[in-house]
Protein backbone atom coordinates (compact mmCIF):
# COMPACT_ATOMS: atom_id res chain seq x y z
CA UNK A 1 0.00 0.00 0.00
CA UNK A 2 1.31 3.42 -0.92
CA UNK A 3 2.28 5.81 1.78
CA UNK A 4 2.07 9.56 2.11
CA UNK A 5 5.44 10.14 0.45
CA UNK A 6 4.07 13.00 -1.60
CA UNK A 7 3.47 14.98 1.59
CA UNK A 8 6.97 14.76 3.01
CA UNK A 9 8.94 15.95 0.00
CA UNK A 10 10.52 19.27 1.02
CA UNK A 11 9.56 21.09 -2.19
CA UNK A 12 5.84 20.49 -1.61
CA UNK A 13 4.12 23.35 0.25
CA UNK A 14 0.70 21.93 1.10
CA UNK A 15 -1.14 25.03 2.36
CA UNK A 16 -0.38 27.43 -0.52
CA UNK A 17 -1.32 24.62 -2.92
CA UNK A 18 -4.60 24.07 -1.11
CA UNK A 19 -5.54 27.77 -1.17
CA UNK A 20 -4.92 27.83 -4.93
CA UNK A 21 -7.21 24.82 -5.42
CA UNK A 22 -9.89 26.18 -3.11
CA UNK A 23 -10.29 29.28 -5.30
CA UNK A 24 -11.31 27.16 -8.30
CA UNK A 25 -13.50 24.88 -6.16
CA UNK A 26 -15.25 27.94 -4.73
CA UNK A 27 -15.96 29.23 -8.25
CA UNK A 28 -17.56 25.90 -9.25
CA UNK A 29 -19.85 25.84 -6.21
CA UNK A 30 -20.89 29.48 -6.59
CA UNK A 31 -21.82 28.75 -10.21
CA UNK A 32 -24.07 25.89 -9.08
CA UNK A 33 -26.29 28.32 -7.13
CA UNK A 34 -25.83 31.72 -8.76
CA UNK A 35 -27.89 30.94 -11.88
CA UNK A 36 -31.11 30.28 -9.94
CA UNK A 37 -31.27 34.00 -9.02
CA UNK A 38 -30.79 35.04 -12.65
CA UNK A 39 -33.37 32.64 -14.13
CA UNK A 40 -36.21 35.23 -14.44
CA UNK A 41 -33.88 37.73 -16.17
CA UNK A 42 -32.59 35.06 -18.59
CA UNK A 43 -36.19 33.98 -19.25
CA UNK A 44 -37.21 37.51 -20.22
CA UNK A 45 -34.07 38.57 -22.10
CA UNK A 46 -33.76 35.46 -24.29
CA UNK A 47 -37.51 35.11 -24.84
CA UNK A 48 -37.62 31.54 -23.58
CA UNK A 49 -40.15 29.50 -21.63
CA UNK A 50 -39.84 28.00 -18.13
CA UNK A 51 -39.46 24.41 -19.37
CA UNK A 52 -36.46 25.36 -21.52
CA UNK A 53 -34.75 27.77 -19.15
CA UNK A 54 -34.68 25.11 -16.42
CA UNK A 55 -32.14 23.35 -18.63
CA UNK A 56 -29.65 26.15 -18.04
CA UNK A 57 -29.21 24.60 -14.59
CA UNK A 58 -30.09 20.99 -15.43
CA UNK A 59 -27.55 20.72 -18.27
CA UNK A 60 -24.78 22.04 -16.01
CA UNK A 61 -25.62 19.59 -13.20
CA UNK A 62 -25.82 16.63 -15.58
CA UNK A 63 -22.50 17.45 -17.26
CA UNK A 64 -20.99 17.94 -13.80
CA UNK A 65 -22.30 14.76 -12.15
CA UNK A 66 -22.06 12.12 -14.87
CA UNK A 67 -18.27 12.18 -15.64
CA UNK A 68 -17.04 12.40 -12.00
CA UNK A 69 -16.12 8.70 -11.79
CA UNK A 70 -14.14 8.99 -15.02
CA UNK A 71 -12.39 12.29 -14.23
CA UNK A 72 -11.44 11.05 -10.77
CA UNK A 73 -9.71 8.01 -12.24
CA UNK A 74 -8.19 10.07 -15.07
CA UNK A 75 -6.52 12.31 -12.46
CA UNK A 76 -4.61 9.29 -11.14
CA UNK A 77 -3.36 8.57 -14.63
CA UNK A 78 -2.39 11.96 -16.10
CA UNK A 79 -1.82 13.80 -12.81
CA UNK A 80 -4.30 15.81 -10.74
CA UNK A 81 -2.60 19.14 -11.49
CA UNK A 82 -2.81 18.74 -15.29
CA UNK A 83 -6.44 17.68 -15.20
CA UNK A 84 -7.37 20.44 -12.74
CA UNK A 85 -5.75 23.12 -14.94
CA UNK A 86 -7.45 21.70 -18.06
CA UNK A 87 -10.81 21.74 -16.29
CA UNK A 88 -10.28 25.27 -14.98
CA UNK A 89 -9.36 26.57 -18.44
CA UNK A 90 -12.44 24.90 -19.96
CA UNK A 91 -14.69 26.21 -17.19
CA UNK A 92 -13.39 29.78 -17.56
CA UNK A 93 -13.68 29.85 -21.36
CA UNK A 94 -17.18 28.32 -21.18
CA UNK A 95 -18.17 31.01 -18.66
CA UNK A 96 -17.22 33.75 -21.15
CA UNK A 97 -19.13 31.85 -23.84
CA UNK A 98 -22.22 31.76 -21.57
CA UNK A 99 -22.11 35.54 -21.13
CA UNK A 100 -21.75 36.17 -24.88
CA UNK A 101 -24.63 33.96 -26.02
CA UNK A 102 -27.80 35.51 -27.40
CA UNK A 103 -29.99 32.38 -27.56
CA UNK A 104 -31.19 29.98 -24.89
CA UNK A 105 -29.99 26.97 -26.93
CA UNK A 106 -26.38 28.20 -27.09
CA UNK A 107 -26.46 29.10 -23.40
CA UNK A 108 -27.46 25.51 -22.56
CA UNK A 109 -24.62 24.14 -24.76
CA UNK A 110 -22.10 26.46 -23.09
CA UNK A 111 -23.35 25.34 -19.66
CA UNK A 112 -22.64 21.72 -20.64
CA UNK A 113 -18.99 22.65 -21.25
CA UNK A 114 -18.93 24.50 -17.94
CA UNK A 115 -20.18 21.36 -16.21
CA UNK A 116 -17.52 19.22 -17.92
CA UNK A 117 -14.82 21.62 -16.72
CA UNK A 118 -16.19 21.47 -13.18
CA UNK A 119 -16.23 17.66 -13.25
CA UNK A 120 -12.52 17.64 -14.13
CA UNK A 121 -11.65 19.97 -11.25
CA UNK A 122 -13.66 18.70 -8.27
CA UNK A 123 -12.13 15.23 -7.70
CA UNK A 124 -8.61 16.65 -8.09
CA UNK A 125 -9.03 19.00 -5.10
CA UNK A 126 -9.73 16.05 -2.78
CA UNK A 127 -7.07 13.86 -4.42
CA UNK A 128 -4.38 16.52 -3.95
CA UNK A 129 -5.34 16.99 -0.27
CA UNK A 130 -5.01 13.22 0.23
CA UNK A 131 -1.63 13.11 -1.46
CA UNK A 132 0.18 16.21 -0.17
CA UNK A 133 -1.00 16.32 3.46
CA UNK A 134 0.15 13.71 5.97
CA UNK A 135 -2.70 11.77 7.64
CA UNK A 136 -2.53 13.76 10.88
CA UNK A 137 -3.05 17.09 9.04
CA UNK A 138 -5.77 16.18 6.53
CA UNK A 139 -8.56 17.14 8.91
CA UNK A 140 -7.53 20.81 8.91
CA UNK A 141 -7.13 20.77 5.12
CA UNK A 142 -10.51 19.13 4.56
CA UNK A 143 -12.17 21.57 6.97
CA UNK A 144 -11.09 24.44 4.69
CA UNK A 145 -12.51 22.47 1.75
CA UNK A 146 -15.80 22.03 3.63
CA UNK A 147 -15.95 25.66 4.79
CA UNK A 148 -15.54 26.72 1.17
CA UNK A 149 -18.69 24.75 0.30
CA UNK A 150 -20.62 26.42 3.13
CA UNK A 151 -19.59 29.97 2.21
CA UNK A 152 -20.25 29.36 -1.51
CA UNK A 153 -23.90 28.48 -0.80
CA UNK A 154 -24.32 31.98 0.66
CA UNK A 155 -22.20 33.95 -1.80
CA UNK A 156 -23.85 32.47 -4.91
CA UNK A 157 -27.40 33.82 -4.44
CA UNK A 158 -26.26 37.18 -2.96
CA UNK A 159 -23.65 37.82 -5.64
CA UNK A 160 -26.14 36.70 -8.28
CA UNK A 161 -28.75 39.17 -7.04
CA UNK A 162 -26.29 42.08 -6.96
CA UNK A 163 -24.87 41.36 -10.44
CA UNK A 164 -28.27 40.78 -12.08
CA UNK A 165 -29.72 43.95 -10.55
CA UNK A 166 -26.67 46.11 -11.32
CA UNK A 167 -25.05 44.84 -14.52
CA UNK A 168 -27.28 42.19 -16.10
CA UNK A 169 -27.45 38.39 -16.01
CA UNK A 170 -24.43 38.01 -18.35
CA UNK A 171 -22.14 39.19 -15.55
CA UNK A 172 -22.81 36.15 -13.38
CA UNK A 173 -20.71 34.36 -16.02
CA UNK A 174 -18.26 37.13 -16.97
CA UNK A 175 -17.11 37.43 -13.34
CA UNK A 176 -15.63 33.93 -13.63
CA UNK A 177 -13.10 35.11 -16.22
CA UNK A 178 -10.74 37.14 -13.95
CA UNK A 179 -11.19 34.67 -11.08
CA UNK A 180 -10.44 31.77 -13.41
CA UNK A 181 -7.29 33.42 -14.80
CA UNK A 182 -5.98 34.20 -11.30
CA UNK A 183 -6.85 30.68 -10.13
CA UNK A 184 -5.10 29.15 -13.15
CA UNK A 185 -1.80 30.93 -12.56
CA UNK A 186 -1.90 30.33 -8.80
CA UNK A 187 -2.49 26.59 -9.35
CA UNK A 188 0.20 26.49 -12.06
CA UNK A 189 2.70 28.02 -9.64
CA UNK A 190 1.69 26.54 -6.28
CA UNK A 191 0.21 23.07 -6.89
CA UNK A 192 2.97 20.45 -7.16
CA UNK A 193 3.35 18.00 -10.06
CA UNK A 194 2.61 14.75 -8.26
CA UNK A 195 3.80 11.35 -9.50
CA UNK A 196 1.35 9.71 -11.89
CA UNK A 197 0.35 6.07 -11.80
CA UNK A 198 0.15 4.07 -14.98
CA UNK A 199 -3.43 2.84 -15.31
CA UNK A 200 -5.03 0.98 -18.18
CA UNK A 201 -8.21 2.77 -19.08
CA UNK A 202 -11.36 0.67 -18.74
CA UNK A 203 -13.25 1.83 -21.85
CA UNK A 204 -16.21 -0.53 -21.30
CA UNK A 205 -16.47 0.75 -17.73
CA UNK A 206 -16.33 4.36 -18.95
CA UNK A 207 -19.26 3.80 -21.35
CA UNK A 208 -21.37 1.83 -18.87
CA UNK A 209 -20.85 4.30 -16.00
CA UNK A 210 -21.55 7.35 -18.19
CA UNK A 211 -24.71 5.87 -19.75
CA UNK A 212 -26.01 4.50 -16.43
CA UNK A 213 -25.43 7.71 -14.49
CA UNK A 214 -26.88 9.84 -17.30
CA UNK A 215 -30.11 7.82 -17.45
CA UNK A 216 -30.47 7.75 -13.66
CA UNK A 217 -29.64 11.42 -13.01
CA UNK A 218 -31.65 12.67 -16.00
CA UNK A 219 -34.68 10.60 -14.99
CA UNK A 220 -34.63 11.82 -11.39
CA UNK A 221 -33.83 15.41 -12.34
CA UNK A 222 -36.61 15.70 -14.94
CA UNK A 223 -39.19 13.52 -13.19
CA UNK A 224 -41.14 16.40 -11.70
CA UNK A 225 -41.24 18.28 -15.00
CA UNK A 226 -42.98 15.34 -16.71
CA UNK A 227 -45.12 14.47 -13.68
CA UNK A 228 -43.19 11.16 -13.38
CA UNK A 229 -44.93 9.93 -16.53
CA UNK A 230 -44.39 9.92 -20.29
CA UNK A 231 -41.57 11.99 -21.80
CA UNK A 232 -41.90 11.16 -25.49
CA UNK A 233 -43.40 8.14 -27.25
CA UNK A 234 -42.64 4.99 -25.27
CA UNK A 235 -40.02 6.75 -23.13
CA UNK A 236 -41.15 7.44 -19.57
CA UNK A 237 -39.38 8.86 -16.53
CA UNK A 238 -39.48 5.52 -14.75
CA UNK A 239 -38.17 3.62 -17.79
CA UNK A 240 -35.12 5.94 -17.76
CA UNK A 241 -34.54 5.51 -14.02
CA UNK A 242 -34.92 1.71 -14.16
CA UNK A 243 -32.71 1.51 -17.26
CA UNK A 244 -30.07 3.60 -15.49
CA UNK A 245 -30.12 1.28 -12.47
CA UNK A 246 -29.85 -1.80 -14.72
CA UNK A 247 -26.89 -0.33 -16.65
CA UNK A 248 -25.18 0.62 -13.37
CA UNK A 249 -25.74 -2.94 -12.08
CA UNK A 250 -24.07 -4.25 -15.27
CA UNK A 251 -21.25 -1.73 -14.67
CA UNK A 252 -20.70 -3.04 -11.13
CA UNK A 253 -20.74 -6.65 -12.41
CA UNK A 254 -18.18 -5.75 -15.08
CA UNK A 255 -15.96 -4.05 -12.49
CA UNK A 256 -16.02 -7.23 -10.38
CA UNK A 257 -15.08 -9.40 -13.40
CA UNK A 258 -12.49 -7.06 -14.95
CA UNK A 259 -9.11 -8.70 -14.38
CA UNK A 260 -7.23 -5.65 -15.62
CA UNK A 261 -7.71 -2.26 -13.99
CA UNK A 262 -11.38 -1.42 -13.50
CA UNK A 263 -12.60 2.18 -13.62
CA UNK A 264 -14.06 1.72 -10.13
CA UNK A 265 -11.80 -0.44 -7.95
CA UNK A 266 -14.39 -2.25 -5.81
CA UNK A 267 -11.62 -2.91 -3.31
CA UNK A 268 -12.10 0.71 -2.17
CA UNK A 269 -15.29 -0.40 -0.45
CA UNK A 270 -13.41 -2.93 1.68
CA UNK A 271 -12.40 0.13 3.71
CA UNK A 272 -15.31 0.38 6.12
CA UNK A 273 -14.91 4.10 6.64
CA UNK A 274 -14.90 4.82 2.89
CA UNK A 275 -18.18 2.94 2.40
CA UNK A 276 -19.87 4.56 5.40
CA UNK A 277 -18.61 8.05 4.46
CA UNK A 278 -20.22 7.69 1.03
CA UNK A 279 -23.54 6.83 2.68
CA UNK A 280 -23.19 9.83 5.00
CA UNK A 281 -22.27 12.34 2.27
CA UNK A 282 -25.17 11.15 0.09
CA UNK A 283 -27.60 12.09 2.88
CA UNK A 284 -25.83 15.43 3.39
CA UNK A 285 -26.03 16.24 -0.34
CA UNK A 286 -29.70 15.24 -0.29
CA UNK A 287 -30.59 17.33 2.79
CA UNK A 288 -28.65 20.54 2.04
CA UNK A 289 -30.08 20.70 -1.51
CA UNK A 290 -33.61 19.80 -0.41
CA UNK A 291 -33.66 22.29 2.47
CA UNK A 292 -32.92 25.31 0.25
CA UNK A 293 -36.08 25.01 -1.88
CA UNK A 294 -38.82 25.30 0.79
CA UNK A 295 -36.84 27.86 2.80
CA UNK A 296 -36.28 30.20 -0.16
CA UNK A 297 -39.86 29.78 -1.43
CA UNK A 298 -41.19 30.60 2.04
CA UNK A 299 -38.94 33.67 2.33
CA UNK A 300 -39.97 35.07 -1.05
CA UNK A 301 -43.61 33.95 -1.44
CA UNK A 302 -44.78 34.31 2.16
CA UNK A 303 -42.48 37.00 3.58
CA UNK A 304 -42.10 38.95 0.32
CA UNK A 305 -38.29 39.10 0.51
CA UNK A 306 -36.23 39.70 -2.62
CA UNK A 307 -33.87 36.89 -3.76
CA UNK A 308 -30.89 38.79 -2.35
CA UNK A 309 -32.55 39.45 1.01
CA UNK A 310 -33.70 35.82 1.15
CA UNK A 311 -30.13 34.67 0.68
CA UNK A 312 -29.05 36.96 3.55
CA UNK A 313 -31.01 34.67 5.89
CA UNK A 314 -28.14 32.20 5.43
CA UNK A 315 -25.49 34.62 6.75
CA UNK A 316 -25.40 33.03 10.26
CA UNK A 317 -24.87 29.61 8.69
CA UNK A 318 -21.94 30.74 6.53
CA UNK A 319 -20.26 32.83 9.26
CA UNK A 320 -20.48 30.13 11.93
CA UNK A 321 -19.39 27.40 9.52
CA UNK A 322 -16.34 29.42 8.43
CA UNK A 323 -15.42 30.36 12.02
CA UNK A 324 -15.59 26.73 13.18
CA UNK A 325 -13.46 25.38 10.31
CA UNK A 326 -9.97 25.79 11.88
CA UNK A 327 -11.14 24.45 15.26
CA UNK A 328 -12.93 21.44 13.79
CA UNK A 329 -10.00 20.73 11.47
CA UNK A 330 -7.62 20.36 14.41
CA UNK A 331 -10.20 18.25 16.21
CA UNK A 332 -10.63 15.91 13.24
CA UNK A 333 -6.91 15.12 13.24
CA UNK A 334 -6.95 14.13 16.94
CA UNK A 335 -10.39 12.66 17.62
CA UNK A 336 -12.23 9.59 16.24
CA UNK A 337 -14.42 10.91 13.42
CA UNK A 338 -17.65 9.24 14.53
CA UNK A 339 -18.05 11.70 17.41
CA UNK A 340 -17.45 14.85 15.33
CA UNK A 341 -19.36 13.78 12.22
CA UNK A 342 -22.14 12.31 14.36
CA UNK A 343 -22.52 15.59 16.25
CA UNK A 344 -22.62 17.56 12.98
CA UNK A 345 -25.23 15.30 11.37
CA UNK A 346 -27.36 15.36 14.52
CA UNK A 347 -27.22 19.19 14.60
CA UNK A 348 -28.16 19.29 10.90
CA UNK A 349 -31.20 17.05 11.41
CA UNK A 350 -32.30 18.96 14.54
CA UNK A 351 -31.90 22.33 12.79
CA UNK A 352 -34.18 21.30 9.91
CA UNK A 353 -36.79 19.81 12.24
CA UNK A 354 -36.59 22.98 14.37
CA UNK A 355 -37.04 25.10 11.24
CA UNK A 356 -40.14 23.09 10.32
CA UNK A 357 -41.64 23.98 13.70
CA UNK A 358 -40.99 27.74 13.62
CA UNK A 359 -41.93 28.54 10.01
CA UNK A 360 -45.14 30.59 10.18
CA UNK A 361 -46.39 33.51 8.05
CA UNK A 362 -45.57 36.13 10.69
CA UNK A 363 -42.81 34.51 12.78
CA UNK A 364 -40.11 36.91 13.96
CA UNK A 365 -37.04 36.66 11.72
CA UNK A 366 -34.73 36.13 14.71
CA UNK A 367 -36.61 32.94 15.57
CA UNK A 368 -35.90 31.68 12.06
CA UNK A 369 -32.22 32.62 12.32
CA UNK A 370 -31.68 30.39 15.37
CA UNK A 371 -32.11 27.04 13.53
CA UNK A 372 -30.17 28.50 10.59
CA UNK A 373 -27.31 29.29 13.01
CA UNK A 374 -27.46 25.68 14.25
CA UNK A 375 -27.20 24.62 10.61
CA UNK A 376 -23.92 26.58 10.51
CA UNK A 377 -22.65 24.53 13.47
CA UNK A 378 -23.73 21.40 11.63
CA UNK A 379 -21.88 22.41 8.45
CA UNK A 380 -18.77 23.14 10.47
CA UNK A 381 -18.81 19.67 12.02
CA UNK A 382 -20.01 17.58 9.03
CA UNK A 383 -18.01 18.26 5.90
CA UNK A 384 -14.45 17.93 7.19
CA UNK A 385 -14.76 14.69 9.18
CA UNK A 386 -16.84 12.92 6.53
CA UNK A 387 -14.54 13.97 3.66
CA UNK A 388 -11.36 13.21 5.61
CA UNK A 389 -12.66 9.84 6.78
CA UNK A 390 -13.58 8.83 3.23
CA UNK A 391 -10.06 9.27 1.87
CA UNK A 392 -7.78 8.98 4.92
CA UNK A 393 -6.91 5.26 4.53
CA UNK A 394 -6.95 5.02 0.71
CA UNK A 395 -3.78 4.05 -1.21
CA UNK A 396 -2.19 7.08 -2.86
CA UNK A 397 -2.49 5.63 -6.37
CA UNK A 398 -6.28 5.43 -5.90
CA UNK A 399 -6.80 8.88 -4.38
CA UNK A 400 -8.43 10.19 -7.56
CA UNK A 401 -10.70 7.18 -7.94
CA UNK A 402 -11.83 7.53 -4.32
CA UNK A 403 -12.47 11.27 -4.73
CA UNK A 404 -14.46 10.58 -7.91
CA UNK A 405 -16.72 8.07 -6.13
CA UNK A 406 -17.20 10.39 -3.13
CA UNK A 407 -18.15 13.40 -5.25
CA UNK A 408 -20.43 11.29 -7.46
CA UNK A 409 -22.41 10.02 -4.47
CA UNK A 410 -22.64 13.57 -3.09
CA UNK A 411 -23.95 14.88 -6.40
CA UNK A 412 -26.42 12.01 -6.87
CA UNK A 413 -27.64 12.70 -3.33
CA UNK A 414 -28.20 16.35 -4.30
CA UNK A 415 -30.20 15.34 -7.40
CA UNK A 416 -32.30 12.93 -5.31
CA UNK A 417 -32.89 15.71 -2.76
CA UNK A 418 -33.97 18.17 -5.43
CA UNK A 419 -36.42 15.73 -7.03
CA UNK A 420 -37.81 14.38 -3.76
CA UNK A 421 -38.45 17.77 -2.16
CA UNK A 422 -40.22 18.98 -5.33
CA UNK A 423 -42.60 16.01 -5.20
CA UNK A 424 -43.23 16.46 -1.47
CA UNK A 425 -43.85 20.22 -1.77
CA UNK A 426 -46.39 19.60 -4.54
CA UNK A 427 -48.09 16.95 -2.40
CA UNK A 428 -48.27 19.15 0.71
CA UNK A 429 -49.52 22.16 -1.30
CA UNK A 430 -52.26 19.99 -2.82
CA UNK A 431 -53.23 18.85 0.69
CA UNK A 432 -53.06 22.22 2.45
CA UNK A 433 -54.40 24.34 -0.43
CA UNK A 434 -56.98 22.15 -2.19
CA UNK A 435 -57.71 23.27 -5.71
CA UNK A 436 -54.44 25.21 -6.04
CA UNK A 437 -51.75 22.52 -5.63
CA UNK A 438 -48.33 23.45 -6.92
CA UNK A 439 -49.80 26.40 -8.81
CA UNK A 440 -49.74 28.39 -5.59
CA UNK A 441 -46.01 28.93 -5.98
CA UNK A 442 -45.92 29.73 -9.68
CA UNK A 443 -45.60 33.21 -11.04
CA UNK A 444 -45.58 35.19 -7.79
CA UNK A 445 -43.83 38.56 -7.83
CA UNK A 446 -44.13 39.38 -4.14
CA UNK A 447 -46.14 38.18 -1.19
CA UNK A 448 -48.84 35.61 -1.83
CA UNK A 449 -52.42 36.63 -1.00
CA UNK A 450 -53.22 36.56 2.72
CA UNK A 451 -55.70 33.72 2.24
CA UNK A 452 -53.08 31.21 1.08
CA UNK A 453 -50.06 32.24 3.17
CA UNK A 454 -50.80 29.94 6.10
CA UNK A 455 -51.34 26.90 3.90
CA UNK A 456 -48.21 27.68 1.88
CA UNK A 457 -46.12 28.11 5.07
CA UNK A 458 -47.42 24.83 6.47
CA UNK A 459 -46.54 23.05 3.23
CA UNK A 460 -42.97 24.36 3.23
CA UNK A 461 -42.56 23.56 6.94
CA UNK A 462 -43.83 20.01 6.55
CA UNK A 463 -41.53 19.44 3.56
CA UNK A 464 -38.48 20.16 5.73
CA UNK A 465 -39.15 17.04 7.81
CA UNK A 466 -38.00 14.87 4.85
CA UNK A 467 -34.34 16.07 4.79
CA UNK A 468 -34.31 16.01 8.61
CA UNK A 469 -35.31 12.32 8.53
CA UNK A 470 -32.89 11.36 5.73
CA UNK A 471 -29.99 12.81 7.75
CA UNK A 472 -30.66 10.23 10.46
CA UNK A 473 -29.44 7.54 8.01
CA UNK A 474 -26.20 9.50 7.65
CA UNK A 475 -26.00 9.83 11.44
CA UNK A 476 -26.14 6.04 11.85
CA UNK A 477 -23.43 5.62 9.19
CA UNK A 478 -21.18 8.18 10.93
CA UNK A 479 -21.60 6.51 14.33
CA UNK A 480 -20.28 3.28 12.78
CA UNK A 481 -16.97 4.90 11.69
CA UNK A 482 -13.85 3.26 13.13
CA UNK A 483 -10.79 5.22 14.24
CA UNK A 484 -8.46 5.91 11.26
CA UNK A 485 -5.11 4.16 11.06
CA UNK A 486 -3.00 7.09 12.35
CA UNK A 487 -5.12 7.32 15.52
CA UNK A 488 -5.05 3.54 15.96
CA UNK A 489 -1.24 3.62 15.81
CA UNK A 490 -1.14 6.35 18.47
CA UNK A 491 -3.48 4.32 20.69
CA UNK A 492 -1.42 1.15 20.18
CA UNK A 493 1.78 3.07 20.94
CA UNK A 494 0.31 4.52 24.13
CA UNK A 495 -0.88 1.05 25.18
CA UNK A 496 2.54 -0.46 24.61
CA UNK A 497 4.19 2.32 26.60
CA UNK A 498 1.74 1.76 29.44
CA UNK A 499 2.46 -1.99 29.44
CA UNK A 500 6.21 -1.33 29.40
CA UNK A 501 5.85 1.07 32.33
Amino acid sequence: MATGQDAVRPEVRPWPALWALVLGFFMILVDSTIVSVATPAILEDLGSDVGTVVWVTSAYLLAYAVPLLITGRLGDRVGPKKLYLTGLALFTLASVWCGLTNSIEMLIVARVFQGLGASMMTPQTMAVITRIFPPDQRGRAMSLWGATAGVATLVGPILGGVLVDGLGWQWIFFINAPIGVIGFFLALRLVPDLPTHQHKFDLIGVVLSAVGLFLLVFGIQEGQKYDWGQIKGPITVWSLIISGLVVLAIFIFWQSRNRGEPLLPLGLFKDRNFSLANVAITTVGFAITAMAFPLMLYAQAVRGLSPTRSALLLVPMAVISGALAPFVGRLVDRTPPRFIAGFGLLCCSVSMFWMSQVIEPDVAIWKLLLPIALLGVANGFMWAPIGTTATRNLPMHQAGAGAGVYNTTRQVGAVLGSASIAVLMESRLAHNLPGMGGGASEGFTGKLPEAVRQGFSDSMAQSLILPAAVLLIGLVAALLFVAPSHLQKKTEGATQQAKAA
Side-chain angles (χ1 to χ4, degrees):
M1 180 171 172
T3 61
Q5 73 269 22
D6 293 335
V8 297
R9 295 183 316 180
E11 69 271 20
V12 174
R13 296 185 298 154
W15 286 104
L18 178 59
W19 279 106
L21 291 169
V22 159
L23 181 62
F25 183 54
F26 179 79
M27 188 168 66
I28 293 171
L29 293 174
V30 165
D31 227 68
S32 299
T33 56
I34 198 171
V35 175
S36 59
V37 178
T39 298
I42 294 172
L43 192 72
E44 182 180 352
D45 191 42
L46 297 183
S48 181
D49 57 84
V50 174
T52 305
V53 83
V54 164
W55 270 96
V56 175
T57 298
S58 297
Y60 174 81
L61 293 177
L62 266 176
Y64 182 15
V66 170
L68 282 170
L69 275 179
I70 301 163
T71 56
R73 191 64 165 162
L74 197 59
D76 288 332
R77 182 176 180 176
V78 304
K81 179 179 179 177
K82 285 181 183 176
L83 201 61
Y84 176 86
L85 290 173
T86 303
L88 180 55
L90 178 60
F91 185 92
T92 304
L93 291 171
S95 297
V96 176
W97 182 10
C98 287
L100 294 174
T101 55
N102 54 14
S103 73
I104 193 69
E105 292 78 14
M106 288 307 295
L107 179 57
I108 291 169
V109 172
R111 287 284 281 169
V112 168
F113 282 92
Q114 255 196 324
L116 288 172
S119 74
M120 292 183 195
M121 295 165 66
T122 301
Q124 315 319 319
T125 59
M126 279 189 74
V128 170
I129 289 172
T130 303
R131 293 181 64 181
I132 67 176
F133 284 89
D136 60 349
Q137 292 181 21
R138 283 184 206 146
R140 278 179 287 168
M142 201 63 77
S143 69
L144 176 61
W145 190 79
T148 301
V151 173
T153 58
L154 169 69
V155 170
I158 295 175
L159 183 62
V162 171
L163 289 173
V164 171
D165 291 341
L167 297 170
W169 65 265
Q170 293 87 347
W171 283 89
I172 67 171
F173 300 113
F174 287 147
I175 196 171
N176 289 335
I179 298 173
V181 170
I182 293 168
F184 186 91
F185 284 105
L186 285 176
L188 187 66
R189 181 178 177 83
L190 299 174
V191 177
D193 287 301
L194 297 173
T196 57
H197 304 278
Q198 290 303 313
H199 295 291
K200 296 176 183 176
F201 221 59
D202 177 11
L203 293 178
I204 296 176
V206 167
V207 173
L208 288 172
S209 69
V211 171
L213 278 172
F214 176 83
L215 292 173
L216 178 64
V217 173
F218 179 84
I220 294 169
Q221 192 169 272
E222 298 300 301
Q224 184 63 24
K225 176 182 175 182
Y226 294 101
D227 198 26
W228 301 93
Q230 185 181 35
I231 296 176
K232 193 172 184 180
I235 301 172
T236 65
V237 169
W238 284 108
S239 69
L240 288 179
I241 293 173
I242 293 168
S243 299
L245 290 172
V246 169
V247 174
L248 287 175
I250 296 170
F251 167 69
I252 297 297
F253 176 75
W254 166 247
Q255 299 304 283
S256 69
R257 307 296 294 177
N258 186 348
R259 297 299 175 221
E261 285 199 71
L263 175 67
L264 173 60
L266 296 181
L268 292 173
F269 293 96
K270 292 179 181 177
D271 184 320
R272 174 174 168 174
N273 281 357
F274 179 79
S275 299
L276 291 170
N278 275 281
V279 173
I281 199 60
T282 302
T283 66
V284 171
F286 181 106
I288 294 297
T289 303
M291 174 274 300
F293 288 97
L295 179 60
M296 290 296 109
L297 277 173
Y298 161 78
Q300 294 178 46
V302 178
R303 304 307 292 260
L305 301 179
S306 67
T308 304
R309 291 182 67 197
S310 300
L312 288 172
L313 290 174
L314 300 176
V315 165
M317 181 188 78
V319 170
I320 292 173
S321 175
L324 283 173
F327 165 74
V328 175
R330 287 191 293 270
L331 205 58
V332 168
D333 289 328
R334 302 171 187 170
T335 311
R338 64 177 178 273
F339 300 123
I340 311 169
F343 176 73
L345 285 156
L346 180 62
C347 286
C348 198
S349 181
V350 169
S351 71
M352 292 184 192
F353 181 76
W354 185 2
M355 220 181 294
S356 75
Q357 301 305 300
V358 300
I359 283 182
E360 290 287 344
D362 299 311
V363 69
I365 290 294
W366 69 265
K367 289 184 179 179
L368 197 59
L369 294 179
L370 292 177
I372 292 174
L374 182 61
L375 191 60
V377 175
N379 273 322
F381 279 87
M382 284 190 311
W383 294 95
I386 297 174
T388 310
T389 302
T391 57
R392 178 107 63 181
N393 295 334
L394 296 185
M396 291 297 154
H397 68 282
Q398 292 181 340
V405 173
Y406 181 84
N407 282 286
T408 300
T409 56
R410 176 178 62 83
Q411 201 64 28
V412 170
V415 173
L416 286 169
S418 174
S420 301
I421 201 69
V423 172
L424 185 57
M425 286 191 302
E426 292 286 339
S427 170
R428 298 321 301 160
L429 285 167
H431 179 269
N432 293 317
L433 296 170
M436 298 190 71
S441 65
E442 294 176 3
F444 65 84
T445 54
K447 278 192 177 183
L448 286 169
E450 183 71 37
V452 299
R453 269 186 238 159
Q454 185 64 56
F456 195 95
S457 292
D458 291 344
S459 301
M460 298 304 104
Q462 292 158 10
S463 299
L464 283 167
I465 295 175
L466 174 64
V470 168
L471 281 164
L472 296 178
I473 300 171
L475 173 60
V476 172
L479 293 176
L480 294 173
F481 285 159
V482 294
S485 53
H486 78 284
L487 287 179
Q488 289 177 4
K489 289 174 183 176
K490 285 183 180 179
T491 304
E492 288 168 6
T495 304
Q496 289 172 0
Q497 287 178 0
K499 285 181 178 178

